[in-house]
């Protein structure tokens, strides 16, 4: 929904559309430092909200599968920056 980079705590909406035979299901994963975390396992819901709390370079993985078991994965690189507090001197 919003271009990279963004700041920590900023909501990012990820929406996907895939075609296949029968019903298509979606799985979303976030990868940071080589470690993948499933954010949303396979379901028919093709959207999720992500508000990262830590700065860094992430990979957002989308995997879709249809009723025939055909699986397709795509990856999006995303950068999150620390939000700098305001200071007055």
């Amino acid at each position: 929904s919003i271009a990279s980079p963004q700041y920590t705590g900023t909501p990012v909406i990820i929406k996907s559309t895939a075609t296949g035979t029968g019903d298509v299901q979606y799985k979303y994963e976030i990868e940071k430092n080589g470690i993948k975390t499933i954010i949303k396992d396979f379901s028919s819901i093709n959207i999720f909200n992500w508000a990262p709390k830590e700065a860094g370079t992430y990979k957002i993985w989308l995997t879709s599968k249809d009723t025939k078991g055909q699986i397709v994965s795509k990856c999006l690189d995303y950068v999150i920056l620390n939000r700098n507090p305001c200071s007055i001197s």
Side-chain angles (χ1 to χ4, degrees):
S1 66
I2 342 180
S4 174
Q6 288 300 318
Y7 291 99
T8 53
T10 301
V12 178
I13 298 169
I14 308 295
K15 183 176 181 181
S16 306
T17 304
T19 57
T21 303
D23 294 330
V24 176
Q25 293 194 333
Y26 304 87
K27 177 172 86 170
Y28 295 92
E29 298 171 281
I30 302 293
E31 180 181 344
K32 184 178 179 196
N33 299 328
I35 299 170
K36 277 187 186 180
T37 302
I38 296 174
I39 300 301
K40 189 175 75 60
D41 211 345
F42 283 110
S43 78
S44 60
I45 298 169
N46 68 337
I47 190 168
F48 86 96
N49 295 316
W50 177 51
K53 296 178 182 174
E54 294 182 16
T57 301
Y58 293 84
K59 291 184 183 292
I60 301 171
W61 288 90
L62 162 67
T63 303
S64 60
K65 70 177 179 179
D66 66 11
T67 53
K68 282 193 169 184
Q70 296 176 325
I71 296 174
V72 176
S73 292
K74 285 202 167 192
C75 179
L76 169 68
D77 291 325
Y78 214 90
V79 175
I80 300 298
L81 306 171
N82 273 323
R83 188 175 299 275
N84 292 328
C86 293
S87 63
I88 299 174
S89 46

